[in-house]
Amino acid sequence: MRAALDEARFAVDSGDVPVGAVVINLSGEVIGRGHNRREADMDPTAHAELIALRQAAAGLGSWRLEGCTLVVTLEPCTMCAGALVLSRAVRLVFGAHDAKAGAVGSLWDVVRDRRLNHRPEVVAGVLAGESGELLRTFFAGRRAP
C-alpha cells in the first residue's frame, strides 16, 4: 500500500485526484504502477487502477493477471472494479472507502456479484487513514478561497 500511496502523490503534481495503484505478482514484485491521469491525459478512463492493470498485462504479455493482486488507495469505481474482475486478478487490497462512487461495497459490490464468473478476494481498509487524509487534503486545497 505504501507504493500505491507514493503513486497517489504523483497524481497531485498533475492536478489529478490523488489515487494510486500497483499490481503485485505472486513473488511480491510490483509489475504495474499507476496514478490518476484524467486531467493530464484528458482521458476519462485514465484511472490509477486501469493504468496499473494495463502496465502489468503488457509486462506479462497477457491480459490474464492470474495470481496477481491490485492494491489501490481508494475503493474502485464501477469501471475499475469491472476491469479488475475481467483481469482475473485474485485479490484487491484498497485503502479508503468511497461513499460516493465505490463499487466494492459502498454503493455497489461489483467484485462480489455471484453472477460473474470471477470474484477476487477483497481486503479493505489498509492504511485507510493515510489514503483518506491525502484525498481530504487535496480537496480542501481545491475548495480554499
Side-chain angles (χ1 to χ4, degrees), residues 85-86 88 113-119:
V85 169
L86 293 173
R88 306 295 194 269
D113 191 317
R114 294 182 192 271
R115 296 169 292 184
L116 297 175
N117 64 342
H118 180 75
R119 290 180 299 280

Side-chain angles (χ1 to χ4, degrees), residues 21-139:
V22 295
V23 176
I24 302 169
N25 68 13
L26 280 172
S27 302
E29 300 169 279
V30 174
I31 61 169
R33 296 177 177 276
H35 55 274
N36 275 1
R37 294 191 48 86
R38 292 182 306 168
E39 298 295 334
D41 294 351
M42 300 296 177
D43 179 355
T45 69
H47 287 207
E49 300 95 323
L50 294 185
I51 294 166
L53 290 170
R54 286 179 188 135
Q55 190 178 88
L60 290 174
S62 174
W63 61 267
R64 289 180 180 89
L65 301 181
E66 295 165 342
C68 293
T69 298
L70 174 65
V71 180
V72 61
T73 58
L74 181 65
E75 178 183 0
C77 68
T78 53
M79 175 179 66
C80 294
L84 172 66
V85 169
L86 293 173
S87 78
R88 306 295 194 269
V90 296
R91 184 173 304 104
L92 166 66
V93 176
F94 73 87
H97 284 84
D98 185 351
K100 293 182 180 179
V104 186
S106 289
L107 288 182
W108 300 280
D109 205 346
V110 172
V111 300
R112 293 185 194 103
D113 191 317
R114 294 182 192 271
R115 296 169 292 184
L116 297 175
N117 64 342
H118 180 75
R119 290 180 299 280
E121 172 190 359
V122 175
V123 179
V126 176
L127 297 180
E130 284 185 53
S131 297
E133 185 57 32
L134 193 57
L135 290 160
R136 282 187 293 280
T137 300
F138 174 80
F139 286 113

